């Protein structure tokens, strides 16, 4: 017991008992003890000077933290849409049977815990699982059974990984990553995956003034790649002009949108480029603090990324007087997340990076005015930062010649689902839906979910739709759904995702998401009414107008889009007489009759109106 | 969350529903409206008064009932600071219908049985349901299973009626600033938790304050039931919104 207490003290001390580092402390405790118990929470509260409620609030928020032990081997099995398409059910059943415990529980001996989890960025190699932070891809029932056997025999997770998968391609085979994850780069474009030489962008950057750097970014008309498409130059300028003694740059590598995995590949293959992009931004806005917010599911990349940062420090591309420029001091630390989609939302990300529940903040103030620890802060997507570095090296004109008028440059897409060539495609903005479907080898597409659940569900027949901010924007996902699929099953999965991932803070999102999910389920079971369709539309409108953050604004998209683009799917499910709610007495008392052994008197059946 | 609001002496002019009003820079739209006798409904934001014992206004921004339109865009009045020339729409059919929808959602999300509720007649949620003429919610009930905690000697905590507004989380603290209430989990599993150790030792005054700040009947002070009989309660006399919150103190903090 005292040993246990000392262990917790040591972990807290490693982060200077700083309440702002609570998330790191909790992640370490979870890794070591497989849980953060109530007693541990009370002790940690004393160590870092918070209340028990503070600690509990944070622990209970994140999917990868728990108050009860999660097993020596904790399996997080992805039950996202692509995983379901590729056989999640069978793999889950195999794990569960072999281990002898249902999903979302731990075996009696405490050795193996199996938990279903939201998409973890492996859409091109499903079914995927994390076992104690190590990624296992392309799982089948046979592999699942073999893995359980290894766990029962006490093999190390790393050994299990090398036994079943070869190392992936590219940097995935480096000792510091050592993962079976594959990059699957199907099409390398000129910006993010184009020619690039380490340090060149940053050395060019310091020969310019910060204003000149801002002017170049603005001239390139670069827009944020994380979803909202805000002009990057304008964002940097707002931050540069915000008063404050210190500024901050944060890279958003949360990548929680189901079906998106492009940042994973950029982090693996282009870490130097986008870290340089962060430093370019720091130079332009005058920031000295930098953080990479890395989703907990990508912990396997952490050691490698730390090595890259060390190398950059050694090469004077980070640290003091960067690239020989006197007074240009900037450094970057890696902040891990702990399993929460809403933490990708910029203000929630800041709360999370400060050790709290990842709840979106009330705005204003916006991050550019008051962000990480109240510093004016730029938060940008990984791809945006990588593009910025290339713009400084190769010029604004080079960049803005690509793409369309309002969407310059290229977009990295993560293509998955029913196609022959899932993977990464860097394409120019303006490319059409049809071209992409052909490139990926989609044989019988029914629908395409562009930009993940929060994006748009298009009818695959609309081949001319351009992928761009003015046409159909995509934060990165391009999920192809074949004609043989039950589309509404996938929509149901999305709504369950939003219901789980809503931070629960605003009433219209918290209650709206499960209401939409429940109503859709009722319709799918053939118990929906025409009124339900109207009420879903009304509720969606209220969510779009009242919720605090983008999660609540976009959560109704899957339902609204399918009601608009695939009305026949709903029509087919609404019973004909659904204008009135009917009550079938015989059916309702059937179970009760069976229980007491009573046979219903065969009366003339009357439908009672409610 | 912006919990407290700082104001300065700079004067700003804006309109709410066509009426021109003046406000101090740094004030929220809600504060400016209250000060000018304009009603905007709230469930989570609360103005500091002598009775509720708050030292400053709170605005968790969680209920979204105060949603207004500012220059055509919907925003929460309780967290949006005023700016010169704002054109605010508040008492419109569209916004009131949206508020009604939120009230309906809150009713079906929890388990509200007003006839047996100690707070009936002084409950803000119930009063808003009357205001927006909710007959029966257009959504189906969740019938969620929620725990009642009656362990503490002074407080009864009935989660069935909790609307998760977080007033208690922000307002009820120990002298050294520790929270007595907290927010647990997320999404449809969200809930309010009590630090039972701390709540056990709560003072009479703080228990009273906790019941007072809770807009609904989730926090009930034990052994004080029905001190004010039905018929004489807050909203039995005047419906919610019929007077602005602060006519007595003229919007000044007491
Ligand atoms: C619920 C939600 C989740 C988000 N997740 C991400 C994410 O995983 N990665 C990302 O870059 N942006 C995400 N965003 C968008 C960010 O809030 C923010 O707009 C973006 O990081 C800004 O960077 P950019 O300008 O480079 O796009 C999310 C937004 C919302 C509302
Ligand atoms: S919209 Fe949803 S996720 Fe965003 S703050 Fe509100 S409850 Fe949280
Ligand atoms: S809390 Fe209010 S709405 Fe809920 S049961 Fe009590 S009086 Fe009714
Ligand atoms: S207990 Fe009352 S004050 Fe606290 S969150 Fe629930 S409704 Fe609000
Ligand atoms: S009163 Fe403004 S959000 Fe609750």
């Amino acid at each position: 017991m005292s040993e246990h207490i000392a262990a917790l003290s040591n972990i807290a001390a490693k982060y200077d008992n700083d309440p702002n580092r609570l998330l790191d402390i909790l992640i370490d405790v979870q890794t070591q003890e497989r849980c953060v118990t109530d007693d541990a929470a009370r002790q940690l509260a004393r160590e870092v000077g918070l209340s028990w409620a503070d600690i509990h609030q944070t622990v209970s928020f994140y999917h990868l933290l728990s108050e009860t032990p999660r097993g020596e081997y904790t399996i997080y099995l992805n039950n996202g849409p692509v995983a379901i398409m590729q056989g999640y059910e069978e793999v889950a059943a195999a794990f569960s049977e072999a281990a002898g415990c249902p999903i979302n529980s731990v075996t009696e001996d405490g050795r193996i815990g199996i938990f279903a989890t939201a998409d973890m960025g492996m859409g091109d190699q499903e079914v995927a699982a994390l076992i104690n932070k190590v990624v296992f891809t392309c799982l089948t029932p046979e592999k699942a059974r073999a893995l359980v056997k290894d766990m029962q025999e006490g093999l190390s997770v790393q050994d299990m990984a090398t036994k079943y998968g070869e190392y992936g391609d590219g940097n995935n085979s480096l000792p510091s990553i050592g993962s079976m994850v594959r990059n699957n780069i199907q099409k390398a474009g000129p910006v993010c995956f184009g020619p690039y030489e380490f340090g060149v962008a940053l050395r060019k950057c310091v020969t310019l003034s910060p204003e000149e750097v801002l002017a170049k970014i603005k001239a390139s008309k670069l827009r944020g790649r994380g979803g909202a498409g805000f002009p990057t130059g304008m964002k940097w300028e707002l931050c540069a002009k915000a008063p404050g003694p210190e500024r901050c740059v944060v890279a958003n590598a949360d990548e929680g949108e189901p079906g998106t995995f492009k940042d994973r590949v950029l982090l693996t293959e282009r870490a130097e480029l986008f870290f340089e992009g962060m430093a370019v931004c720091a130079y332009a806005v005058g920031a000295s603090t930098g953080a990479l917010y890395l989703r907990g599911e990508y912990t396997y990349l952490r050691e490698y990324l730390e090595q890259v940062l060390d190398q950059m420090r050694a090469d004077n591309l980070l640290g003091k007087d960067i690239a020989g420029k006197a007074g240009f001091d900037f450094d970057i630390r890696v902040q891990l997340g702990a399993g929460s989609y809403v933490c990708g939302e910029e203000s929630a990300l800041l709360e999370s990076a400060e050790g709290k529940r990842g709840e979106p903040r009330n705005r204003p103030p916006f991050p550019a005015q008051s962000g990480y620890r109240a510093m004016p802060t730029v938060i940008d997507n990984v791809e945006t930062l990588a593009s910025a570095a290339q713009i400084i090296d190769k010029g604004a004109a080079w960049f803005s010649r690509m793409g369309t008028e309002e969407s310059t440059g290229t977009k990295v897409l993560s293509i998955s689902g029913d196609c022959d060539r899932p993977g990464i495609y860097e394409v120019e903005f303006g490319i059409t839906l049809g071209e992409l479907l052909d490139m990926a080898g989609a044989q019988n597409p029914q629908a395409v979910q562009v930009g993940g659940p929060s994006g748009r569900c298009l009818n695959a027949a609309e081949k001319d739709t351009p992928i761009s901010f003015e046409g159909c924007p995509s934060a990165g996902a391009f999920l192809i759904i074949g004609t043989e699929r039950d589309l509404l099953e996938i929509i149901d999965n999305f709504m369950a995702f939003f219901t789980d991932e809503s931070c629960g803070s605003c009433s219209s999102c918290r209650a709206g998401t499960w209401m939409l999910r429940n109503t859709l389920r009722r319709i799918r079971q053939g118990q929906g009414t025409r009124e339900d369709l109207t009420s879903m539309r009304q509720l969606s409108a209220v969510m779009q107008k009242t919720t605090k953050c983008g999660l609540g604004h976009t959560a109704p998209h899957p339902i609204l889009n399918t009601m608009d683009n695939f009305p026949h799917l709903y029509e087919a499910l609404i019973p004909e007489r659904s204008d009135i709610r009917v009550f079938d007495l015989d059916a309702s008392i059937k179970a009760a009759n069976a229980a007491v052994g009573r046979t219903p008197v065969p009366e003339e059946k009357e439908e009672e109106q409610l | 969350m912006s919990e407290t609001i700082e104001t300065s002496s700079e004067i700003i002019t804006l309109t709410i529903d066509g009426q021109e009003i003046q406000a101090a820079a740094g004030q929220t739209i809600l504060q400016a409206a209250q000060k000018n006798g304009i009603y905007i409904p709230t469930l989570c934001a609360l103005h500091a008064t002598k009775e509720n014992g708050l030292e400053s206004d709170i605005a968790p921004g969680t209920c979204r009932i105060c949603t207004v339109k500012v220059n055509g865009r919907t925003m929460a009045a309780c967290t949006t600071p005023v700016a010169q020339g704002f054109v605010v729409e508040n008492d419109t059919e569209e916004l009131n219908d949206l508020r009604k929808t939120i009230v309906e959602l809150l009713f079906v999300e929890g388990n509200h049985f007003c006839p047996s509720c100690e707070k009936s007649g002084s409950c803000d949620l119930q009063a808003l349901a009357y205001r927006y003429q909710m007959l029966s919610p257009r959504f189906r009930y969740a019938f969620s299973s929620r725990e009642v905690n009656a362990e503490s000697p002074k407080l009864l905590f009935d989660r069935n009626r909790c609307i998760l507004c977080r007033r208690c989380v922000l307002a009820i603290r120990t002298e050294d600033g520790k929270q007595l209430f907290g927010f647990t989990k997320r999404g449809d599993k969200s809930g309010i938790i009590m630090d039972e150790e701390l709540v056990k030792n709560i003072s009479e005054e703080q228990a009273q304050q906790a019941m007072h700040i809770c807009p609904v009947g989730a926090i009930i002070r034990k052994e004080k039931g029905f001190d004010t009989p039905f018929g004489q309660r807050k909203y039995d006399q005047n419906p919610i919104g019929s007077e602005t919150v602060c006519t007595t103190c003229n919007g000044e903090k007491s």
Side-chain angles (χ1 to χ4, degrees), chain B residues 140-157:
Chain B
R140 297 203 188 180
Y141 283 89
F143 299 115
S144 45
S145 141
R146 301 236 187 130
E147 270 173 35
V148 177
N149 185 328
E151 300 294 309
S152 146
K154 294 209 183 68
L155 289 183
L156 171 79
F157 181 39

Side-chain angles (χ1 to χ4, degrees), chain A residues 177-427:
Chain A
I177 301 183
S179 172
M180 67 173 78
V181 175
R182 296 193 61 82
N183 290 329
N184 286 331
I185 302 172
Q186 305 283 0
K187 185 179 182 330
V191 182
C192 290
F193 292 104
Y196 153 75
E197 209 179 312
F198 189 36
V200 172
L202 205 42
R203 290 199 182 90
K204 274 194 193 166
C205 173
V206 298
T207 63
L208 305 170
S209 70
E211 293 73 28
E212 285 168 325
V213 175
L214 277 179
K216 273 202 173 198
I217 300 296
K218 276 180 158 179
S220 73
K221 300 213 279 185
L222 172 65
R223 293 172 69 171
R225 278 21 180 172
F230 193 80
T232 307
M234 201 193 285
K235 188 197 282 185
W236 290 14
E237 190 168 47
L238 283 172
C239 180
K241 285 190 176 152
E246 236 187 307
R247 266 165 267 272
C248 180
V249 179
V250 176
N252 188 343
D254 194 57
E255 192 154 65
E257 193 75 48
T260 315
F261 44 86
K262 50 124 188 152
D263 292 339
R264 177 196 91 213
V265 178
L266 285 168
L267 291 163
T268 310
E269 295 303 324
R270 281 294 195 260
E272 292 90 348
L273 177 68
F274 103 86
F275 280 139
E276 269 194 66
M278 283 180 82
V280 165
C281 174
Y283 182 74
V285 305
S288 51
T289 309
L292 164 66
Y293 188 92
L294 183 67
R295 70 183 303 200
E297 291 81 352
Y298 291 170
T299 303
Y300 76 101
L301 290 171
R302 181 189 189 156
E303 191 187 328
Y304 167 71
L305 293 167
E306 302 269 17
Q307 277 184 11
V308 173
L309 290 173
D310 279 340
Q311 187 58 49
M312 290 178 74
R313 286 180 199 114
D315 293 346
N316 185 227
L317 294 174
L318 281 179
K320 287 214 165 302
D321 301 328
I322 293 173
K325 181 82 177 179
F328 177 24
D329 304 339
F330 175 69
D331 212 333
I332 300 169
R333 78 172 175 90
V334 178
Q335 170 68 57
L336 282 179
S340 159
Y341 165 65
V342 72
C343 285
E345 194 281 338
E346 54 187 18
S347 65
L349 183 150
L350 295 171
E351 288 286 297
S352 177
E354 291 176 8
K356 292 173 270 186
R357 295 167 61 85
E359 290 186 2
R361 294 177 176 173
N362 286 318
R363 280 150 294 169
F366 292 91
Q369 302 163 288
S370 172
Y372 180 60
R373 300 180 79 165
M375 289 181 255
T377 301
V378 169
I379 304 179
D380 274 328
N381 178 255
V382 169
E383 185 185 345
T384 313
L385 291 161
S387 306
Q390 289 281 35
I391 289 164
I392 296 304
D393 180 22
K394 305 193 168 68
W398 165 80
F399 186 82
S400 60
R401 265 198 303 274
M402 292 175 274
T404 69
E405 186 56 33
E406 283 177 49
S407 319
T408 56
T410 61
K411 183 75 197 98
V412 183
L413 295 174
S414 337
I415 301 191
S416 62
D418 294 314
C419 62
D420 298 338
R421 293 177 289 279
I424 295 295
Y425 294 74
E426 184 179 2
V427 294

